[in-house]
Amino acid sequence: MDKVALVTGGSRGIGAAISKALQAEGYKVAATYAGNDEAARAFSDETGIRTYKWSVTDYDACKDGVARIEDELGPVAVLVNNAGITRDAMFHKMTPDQWKKVIDTNLNGLFNMTHCVWPGMRDRKFGRIINITSVNGQKGQAGQANYSAAKAGDIGFTRALAQEGARAGITVNAIAPGYIGTEMVRAIDEKVLAERILPQIPVGRLGEPEEIARCAVFLASDDSGFITGSTLSANGAQFFA
Ligand code: CAA
């Protein structure tokens, strides 16, 4: 296998699990990250996966970054739009900056990254775009008007682009994780997590990053060519879209 997979936010959390799982399948993986040099270095040392630093909010940086990866590793066949942030606050306390930052990373980042790999995928008549949305984009979550809006937008983006990519051999799908045991979820106040969130999850536990990574491997594979425009939920029965 010499296919190249690019995973944004691919050195930590769910992204790191996806990077490793794709590597185990034989992909040449490039993982991007925005800020945490130390975590990226440790991840590269542990896995041998190359990491690249830029922000998915910066279109020109995405363009340059994709060009560099294609130069070093080859054409990108699989793009996993995983990079995401939270700035949780009840709406009456949410600042314009909290709104903008989340929309810029979690929604505009998908435009920036996908737009840079799309022409090459169309030319080669093959591509896999996998967008990591969230149960909270499906059901909405109090304290996350910004995040829920962006993640719901990611699903609309997925469905529209699936139709455009269909004739060009490009599938576009979303994965909607529920609450997964990553730093992002562990940053929630312990009492809020225990009293408000865990009781909503019938399976009775947080998900594992590897459980999401297996969904990504499946959607990336050649065999999943008839699955496009779909949203694969992995949320422990918390919500049925
Ligand atoms: N529904 C309705 N009202 C709610 C509520 C809910 N789910 N949660 C809190 N409230 C109400 C409270 O009852 C309270 O009301 P009163 O003022 O009338 O008493 C008010 O909102 C303020 O609540 P808090 O004291 O909790 O407010 P806070 O400012 O201290 O904290 C918060 C707000 C940071 C948003 C906190 O509630 C929180 O962390 N909530 C969890 C949000 C969440 O699930 N984030 C997911 C992060 S992980 C992730 O995003 C990954 C993924 O994809 C799943």
Side-chain angles (χ1 to χ4, degrees), residues 139-159:
K139 73 172 187 59
Q141 170 62 44
Q144 289 200 303
N146 48 5
Y147 187 90
S148 300
K151 293 293 187 178
D154 294 342
I155 294 173
F157 175 74
T158 299
R159 291 174 178 169

Side-chain angles (χ1 to χ4, degrees), residues 53-93:
K53 184 178 184 180
W54 79 79
S55 169
V56 297
T57 64
D58 179 341
Y59 184 83
D60 291 336
C62 293
K63 209 163 181 185
D64 293 346
V66 167
R68 188 175 151 210
I69 288 168
E70 297 205 321
D71 214 37
E72 290 179 10
L73 300 181
V76 174
V78 179
L79 169 65
V80 184
N81 283 311
N82 164 77
I85 60 168
T86 52
R87 293 291 182 274
D88 292 1
M90 299 306 275
F91 189 62
H92 62 282
K93 292 188 196 164

